[in-house]
């Protein structure tokens, strides 16, 4: 094991055994006192049992225990002392610290048994984690290749092959670097070192993947950035990188904020290093690679407990862990581009299972639009077909699939027009999210018209809500509830209470209990709806979709 994993393991043992076991079980202190102690803990200092000297912890210092020292503890079973400094400063007096914590028994504070220190213990703790699968960084390595590689993985690259499979969706244009003379690049380097990371950036986006029907949908929450590597005293290489969380939990806002914190802390550390050394070579991409593990562990170790907490503490602030449908990332920015009519067109296209492609130079907008269709627009129904939220342009042939697809394309709409791709896929709805006035649709002939009554019903409700959304874009969920109410009022309440099943053959009246008669269920639902003839066209098309059939299966079972 390397030095870092030793420090990680000791921190885990300290947090788990000291605060949970020692405080809760042995001393039976209140939860409030335990929480206060946890918030005061910043790092771990290991001292000799007999030493009460002042300690000074530097952010660039070496790990407190070396490999050989830990092996010695493993073999001898000796006890070492773990101490948490006060939050106000990294310089503190151990004697004063003991006096301020007199309620702790001396043996609890001073000694813990370190036994069976192996990588298996660390993996076991991480396997209990349910909040995220991995945190990884993709980019160019040291080899002379333009293919992205896994630079860092929190779970020690056990999912490397899977990560590389989705890398083409994170970098749809590839990772081809740009090498220029160092003397001509100082201004660009200065901009990179001082760039601000924001959740509203167009570099924030989400990749959706689902390998099989049995597996859960995965959200890959990404932040893409450009960094520099000093190749030699005369040359510098600029290349794209991405830091990503993989999770099956709908915690997009939460993980986007953590990514911002990690990148911002690395930025501060790099700036401080450069101010001290005045050596740009020490502050290039390699500095990120060396320190990402340390920073990410400080934050993510709070999530890798057997029973994950309801919040984590970052920079003295509590960040709630809450799966909230009304997310603040992406979709509020998307609603700045939408109006009532464009939202209805997208809704109808999803309703009848048309392939839809959202086109934008900003992956934030295109992937947020895919998320809108997957998560919100069809509730309580669900889009069950493939979603490729950042489709490489070279793979646009996927749109010729007989299965409907929702995709995002990171390119200019004019590029598709000039190459004749919109005309080539006439059954696909192309939507330009970068249009300045209002979003632009391609192949609108493929979108069926709604009746005047249904259009008036939707517009009358959406227009009033859009006025609220335009002043506060985080209220977009109120608009989306209109479609949910439409489904409940006109479809779900009219589905037959008792299931209608197919007969085994024409001569037998005995039904087959295992097979539903979807055509008769749809016809009965349409009859109960009592809709006008103009509306029957759109609802008949919807009742023939796999979306409706899957819902009926779940409805009766």
């Amino acid at each position: 094991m390397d030095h870092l994993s030793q420090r990680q393991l000791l921190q885990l043992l300290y947090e788990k055994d000291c605060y949970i076991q020692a405080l809760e079980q042995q001393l039976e202190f209140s939860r409030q006192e335990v929480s206060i102690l946890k918030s005061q803990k910043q790092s771990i200092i290991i001292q000799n049992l007999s030493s009460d000297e002042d300690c000074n912890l530097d952010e660039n210092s070496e790990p407190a225990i070396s490999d050989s020292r830990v092996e010695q503890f493993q073999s001898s079973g000796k006890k070492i002392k773990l101490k948490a400094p006060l939050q106000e400063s990294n310089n503190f007096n151990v004697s004063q610290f003991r006096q301020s914590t007199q309620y702790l028994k001396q043996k609890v504070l001073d000694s813990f048994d370190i036994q069976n220190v192996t990588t298996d213990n660390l993996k076991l703790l991480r396997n209990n984690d349910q909040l995220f699968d991995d945190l990884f960084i993709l980019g160019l390595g040291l080899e002379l290749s333009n293919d992205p590689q896994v630079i860092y993985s929190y779970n020690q690259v056990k999912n490397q092959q899977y990560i590389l499979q989705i890398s083409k969706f994170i970098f749809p244009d590839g990772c081809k670097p740009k090498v220029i003379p160092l003397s001509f690049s100082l201004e660009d380097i200065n901009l990179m070192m001082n760039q601000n990371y924001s959740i509203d950036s167009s570099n924030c986006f989400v990749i959706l993947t689902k390998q099989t029907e049995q597996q859960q949908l995965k959200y890959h929450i990404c932040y893409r950035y450009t960094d520099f590597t000093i190749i030699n005293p005369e040359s510098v290489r600029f290349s794209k990188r991405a830091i990503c969380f993989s999770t099956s939990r709908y915690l997009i806002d939460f993980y986007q904020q953590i990514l911002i914190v990690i990148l911002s802390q690395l930025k501060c550390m790099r700036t401080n290093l450069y101010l001290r050394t005045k050596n740009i070579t020490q502050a290039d991409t390699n500095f990120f690679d060396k320190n990402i593990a340390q920073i990410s562990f400080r934050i993510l170790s709070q999530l890798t407990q057997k029973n994950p907490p309801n919040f984590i503490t970052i920079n003295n602030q509590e960040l709630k862990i809450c799966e909230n449908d009304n997310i603040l990332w992406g979709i509020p920015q998307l609603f700045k581009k939408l109006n009532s009519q464009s939202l209805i067109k997208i809704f109808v296209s999803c309703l009848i299972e048309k392939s839809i492609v959202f086109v934008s130079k900003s992956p934030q907008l295109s992937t947020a639009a895919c998320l809108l269709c997957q998560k919100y627009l069809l509730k309580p129904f669900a889009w069950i077909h493939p979603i490729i939220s950042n489709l490489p342009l070279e793979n646009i042939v996927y749109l010729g699939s007989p299965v409907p697809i929702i995709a995002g394309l990171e390119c200019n709409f004019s590029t598709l027009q000039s190459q004749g791709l919109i005309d080539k896929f006439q059954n696909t709805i192309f939507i330009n999210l970068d249009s300045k006035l209002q979003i632009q649709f391609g192949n609108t002939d493929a979108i069926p018209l709604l009746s005047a009554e249904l259009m008036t019903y939707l517009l009358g409700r959406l227009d009033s809500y859009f006025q609220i959304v335009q002043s506060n874009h985080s209220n977009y969920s109120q608009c989306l509830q209109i479609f949910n109410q439409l489904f409940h009022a006109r479809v779900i309440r009219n589905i037959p209470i008792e299931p209608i099943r197919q007969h085994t053959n024409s001569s037998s009246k005995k039904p087959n209990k295992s097979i539903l008669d979807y055509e008769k269920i749809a016809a009965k639902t349409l009859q109960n709806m009592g809709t006008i003839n103009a509306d029957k066209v759109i609802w008949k098309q919807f009742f023939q979709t796999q979306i409706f059939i899957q819902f009926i299966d779940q409805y009766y079972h």
Side-chain angles (χ1 to χ4, degrees):
M1 293 187 293
D2 57 20
H3 288 185
L4 183 59
S5 62
Q6 301 294 342
R7 171 180 283 183
Q8 292 175 355
L9 184 55
L10 291 173
Q11 286 178 328
L12 285 173
L13 289 171
Y14 178 76
E15 293 170 359
K16 189 176 181 65
D17 294 338
C18 176
Y19 284 113
I20 297 177
Q21 182 179 355
L23 295 179
E24 292 184 355
Q25 296 181 3
Q26 296 183 23
L27 303 180
E28 297 181 350
F29 280 142
S30 67
R31 293 288 181 184
Q32 183 178 4
E33 290 173 320
V34 175
S35 177
I36 293 174
L37 285 174
K38 286 183 178 180
S39 66
Q40 290 179 340
K41 176 179 62 62
Q42 282 186 334
S43 58
I44 294 175
I45 295 179
I46 302 177
Q47 286 188 300
N48 186 280
L49 279 170
S50 61
S51 175
D52 280 349
E53 298 176 356
D54 290 354
C55 300
N56 191 343
L57 180 65
D58 183 75
E59 65 179 6
N60 295 319
S61 62
E62 291 297 318
I65 293 185
S66 64
D67 288 346
S68 59
R69 186 67 171 148
V70 171
E71 291 173 0
Q72 180 182 350
F73 286 127
Q74 289 178 345
S75 58
S76 64
K78 291 183 179 180
K79 298 179 179 180
I80 62 174
K81 181 167 63 175
L82 307 176
K83 296 185 178 181
L86 298 178
Q87 188 171 353
E88 300 299 327
S89 173
N90 283 334
N91 299 309
F92 73 103
N93 185 278
V94 175
S95 299
Q96 294 177 356
F97 177 69
R98 286 179 177 173
Q99 293 174 6
S100 66
T101 56
Q102 291 179 357
Y103 49 80
L104 287 176
K105 291 184 178 180
Q106 192 68 30
K107 64 178 182 179
V108 176
L109 177 67
D110 286 347
S111 59
F112 297 95
D113 287 323
I114 305 294
Q115 298 176 350
N116 299 325
V117 183
T118 65
T119 53
D120 292 333
N121 300 127
L122 192 58
K123 290 179 180 178
L124 180 62
L125 287 172
R126 286 179 177 167
N127 288 338
N128 289 327
D129 164 57
Q130 297 178 354
L131 290 177
F132 71 99
D133 298 328
D134 202 1
L135 168 69
F136 59 88
I137 291 181
L138 282 172
L140 296 182
L142 299 177
E143 295 81 3
L144 297 177
S145 171
N146 293 337
D147 297 327
Q149 300 177 18
V150 180
I151 304 299
Y152 166 76
S153 170
Y154 184 80
N155 284 331
Q156 300 179 355
V157 205
K158 70 177 183 180
N159 298 319
Q160 183 172 10
Q161 193 59 40
Y162 174 67
I163 293 173
L164 292 176
Q165 288 175 357
I166 65 173
S167 64
K168 65 179 180 180
F169 304 115
I170 298 174
F171 300 111
D173 296 330
C175 279
K176 187 176 181 180
K178 180 174 67 173
V179 179
I180 60 176
L182 181 59
S183 57
F184 297 156
S185 61
L186 295 180
E187 183 177 353
D188 292 332
I189 292 175
N190 183 60
L191 290 174
M192 289 181 190
M193 291 185 63
N194 292 283
Q195 63 182 311
N196 292 320
Y197 303 101
S198 168
I199 196 173
D200 294 328
S201 169
S202 60
N203 293 310
C204 281
F205 57 96
V206 178
I207 303 295
L208 309 176
T209 61
K210 189 174 183 180
Q211 291 182 309
T212 65
E213 284 296 325
Q214 289 72 30
Q215 289 184 334
Q216 287 182 300
L217 180 70
K218 296 291 184 183
Y219 300 95
H220 306 281
I221 301 141
C222 306
Y223 197 105
R224 199 167 60 198
Y225 60 97
T226 302
D227 214 337
F228 66 97
T229 305
I230 306 299
I231 302 176
N232 53 55
E234 289 79 28
S235 302
V236 60
R237 181 183 72 180
F238 295 96
S239 61
K240 295 178 183 177
R241 287 203 161 195
I243 179 170
C244 309
F245 270 106
S246 291
T247 178
S248 56
R249 302 282 291 274
Y250 194 66
L251 294 167
I252 294 177
D253 281 346
F254 175 74
Y255 285 121
Q256 285 286 14
Q257 292 180 66
I258 292 183
L259 291 180
I260 298 301
V261 169
I262 292 174
L263 290 171
S264 298
Q265 288 189 6
L266 284 168
K267 168 190 169 181
C268 291
M269 291 174 63
R270 177 155 73 173
T271 302
N272 292 335
L273 176 65
Y274 178 69
L275 291 176
R276 290 199 312 267
T277 63
K278 303 299 181 183
N279 188 342
I280 194 65
T281 304
Q282 295 185 17
D284 68 354
T285 303
N286 295 320
F287 177 82
F288 265 48
D289 299 344
K290 292 176 182 177
N291 290 276
I292 181 64
Q294 180 182 4
I295 290 180
S296 61
F297 176 77
R298 289 176 183 173
I299 298 172
L300 300 183
S301 60
Q302 301 178 67
L303 302 178
T304 53
Q305 303 173 20
K306 187 173 183 179
N307 298 313
N310 295 323
F311 64 89
I312 64 172
T313 303
I314 300 178
N315 297 337
N316 299 327
Q317 294 183 351
E318 292 182 358
L319 192 60
K320 291 185 178 180
I321 304 173
C322 178
E323 292 189 84
N324 185 2
D325 277 349
N326 195 26
I327 65 172
L328 299 178
W329 168 87
I331 295 181
Q333 287 72 28
L334 176 66
F335 263 74
K336 296 178 183 179
K337 299 278 187 178
L338 297 175
N339 57 29
S340 300
Q341 292 190 5
S342 59
L343 187 60
I344 290 173
K345 288 181 180 179
I346 297 173
F347 165 73
V348 173
S349 301
C350 291
L351 192 70
I352 61 174
E353 293 184 337
K354 284 289 184 182
S355 289
I356 307 172
V357 178
F358 296 99
V359 184
S360 175
K361 287 296 292 180
S362 167
Q364 180 197 43
L365 287 177
S366 56
T367 61
C370 293
L371 195 64
L372 172 72
C373 298
Q374 181 269 330
K375 185 73 177 177
Y376 301 99
L377 207 53
L378 295 178
K379 276 188 174 182
F381 300 92
W383 181 268
I384 63 173
H385 303 293
I387 295 180
I388 309 175
S389 52
N390 209 18
L391 178 68
L393 188 58
E394 63 184 27
N395 297 124
I396 199 171
V397 291
Y398 291 172
L399 299 179
S401 166
V403 177
I405 295 174
I406 291 178
L409 268 180
E410 188 180 343
C411 69
N412 289 318
F413 196 76
S414 58
T415 302
L416 302 179
Q417 291 176 320
S418 62
Q419 296 181 7
L421 294 174
I422 296 177
D423 295 332
K424 181 178 180 180
F425 301 100
Q426 294 185 356
N427 290 324
T428 299
I429 313 299
F430 289 86
I431 302 175
N432 180 15
L433 299 177
D434 291 339
S435 181
K436 293 183 179 179
L437 298 178
Q438 60 182 9
I439 64 173
Q440 178 183 357
F441 287 78
N443 294 338
T444 53
D445 293 341
I447 305 175
L449 297 176
L450 299 180
S451 68
E453 185 272 336
L454 183 55
M455 196 70 175
T456 302
Y457 170 87
L458 292 174
L459 286 176
R461 286 157 177 77
L462 286 174
D463 284 343
S464 60
Y465 280 115
F466 255 100
Q467 294 177 3
I468 301 174
V469 172
Q470 292 306 317
S471 60
N472 184 357
H473 297 285
S474 61
N475 288 329
Y476 65 87
S477 60
Q478 296 177 348
C479 282
L480 299 176
Q481 288 174 3
I482 300 298
F483 300 107
N484 182 266
Q485 294 167 4
L486 174 69
F487 280 130
H488 279 281
R490 301 207 176 187
V491 179
I492 295 176
R493 65 183 297 181
N494 291 308
I495 295 175
I497 298 176
E498 295 296 329
I500 303 174
R501 303 188 184 276
Q502 295 182 11
H503 295 290
T504 53
N505 53 61
S506 57
S507 61
S508 174
K509 298 296 182 181
K510 185 177 180 181
N512 186 340
K513 293 185 178 181
S514 63
I515 302 178
L516 293 170
D517 194 324
Y518 300 107
E519 290 186 6
K520 291 185 178 180
I521 292 173
K524 184 63 176 177
T525 303
L526 198 62
Q527 179 183 344
N528 294 341
M529 289 170 65
T531 56
I532 60 177
N533 291 332
D535 279 344
K536 286 184 178 179
V537 176
I538 188 70
W539 292 120
K540 278 184 178 179
Q541 286 184 272
F542 174 61
F543 293 155
Q544 294 173 0
T545 63
Q546 291 298 313
I547 294 174
F548 181 76
I549 290 173
Q550 186 184 67
F551 179 83
I552 290 298
D553 284 336
Q554 297 173 351
Y555 184 83
Y556 287 122
H557 294 93

